[in-house]
Each structure stands twice: as C-alpha cells, then as structure tokens.
Amino acid sequence: MNSATPSIDDCARQGRAVLMTVLAALLLVAALALAAALGALGPWSDRLQRAAPMAPLAIIVFCAWARRRQHNAGAGAWQALFQDEFRQQSLTRAVRAAFIFLLLAQIPLAWLLESQAAPPHALAMACLNMLAGAIAFLGAFLYFERPSA
C-alpha cells in the first residue's frame, strides 16, 4: 500500500493477490482430498478422510481470520471496490459458471468415487463438491475480473 489510506487500485491488487493465494491453497486441499478419497496416500488416506468434516469449519475459521487481519484504514475504498458494477457482473458470471461446472462435474466425480474398492462415502462426495465449487468460483471470478488490456 502506498499511503495510510489505500487507493481503490491498491485494494484491488491486494484483493486479487489474496484470492490467488486462497485459490492455490484450495487446489492443494482438493488434491489431497481427492488422493485420500482414492486411497493413494496409504495410511494417510484414512486420517484425511476422518478429518474431512473439519474442512468446511477450517475454511470458515481461515476466512474469519483473514477478515480480521484485513487493512481497514481504507474502508471507503473497499466499499467502493465492492460496489463497482463491473465487479458485481464478474461475481454474477462467476457464480453462474461455478454452478454449471458443479452440475457437469457430478457424474464424473460420482463415477470416480464409485469405481473405488471401498464403498463410496457421501462425505467424500460432499467435501469434493465443496472444494470443486469454491475452486470453480474463484477461478471464474479471477478470470472474469482480470484487468482489460
């Protein structure tokens, strides 16, 4: 940030960097969850499957922590950023794209989990859907919100 009160451009850059970091973390968690659901991690698969119900809670706690650490000196700039019509359209498009992606991903994901030797768990399907939805939304939002050339 350049000054005590950040500009809208500073807030946009910081927000984009945070979203990219969250997207990278979600991709890592999704890869681990998928590997655990497929049993590719050996003894760690069972541990990760037992910890799967905590994933939504961990994401909520992480978001609350990040919100508390957010720089509030430019609250007006943050509000202006979120009220921007272009970002509102980007959010709407991202939600629509993520919803369509999740609808299309249901059958391949169910088939993948069904093909495993262990019986498919509804919890694994729910966690993978939650992670896939969050990744699809963040990826679509970052794509639609990219700065124009």
Side-chain angles (χ1 to χ4, degrees):
M1 306 272 166
N2 296 333
S3 65
T5 58
S7 68
I8 291 176
D9 291 335
D10 290 336
C11 291
R13 272 193 297 278
Q14 181 187 15
R16 190 164 181 80
V18 168
L19 289 179
M20 292 287 267
T21 304
V22 170
L23 180 62
L26 284 175
L27 284 170
L28 177 66
V29 170
L32 284 173
L34 188 59
L38 298 177
L41 299 177
W44 283 94
S45 293
D46 293 333
R47 292 179 184 155
L48 286 175
Q49 285 181 351
R50 283 194 305 266
M54 300 306 288
L57 180 63
I59 290 172
I60 290 169
V61 169
F62 173 74
C63 289
W65 174 80
R67 174 84 172 125
R68 297 269 251 142
R69 306 246 331 146
Q70 186 178 12
H71 185 51
N72 286 331
W78 282 105
Q79 288 301 323
L81 181 70
F82 290 122
Q83 297 301 323
D84 182 28
E85 185 177 334
F86 178 71
R87 284 188 179 74
Q88 293 293 324
Q89 288 177 348
S90 296
L91 278 171
T92 303
R93 288 182 187 139
V95 167
R96 195 176 309 129
F99 180 69
I100 291 169
F101 174 80
L102 274 179
L103 286 178
L104 295 175
Q106 294 304 301
I107 292 175
L109 187 58
W111 177 76
L112 182 68
L113 290 176
E114 184 66 32
S115 67
Q116 297 306 307
H121 299 286
L123 188 59
M125 183 77 167
C127 286
L128 289 173
N129 274 320
M130 177 205 57
L131 289 168
I135 290 168
F137 170 74
L138 282 176
F141 180 73
L142 288 170
Y143 176 78
F144 290 131
E145 200 241 351
R146 71 183 189 277
S148 58

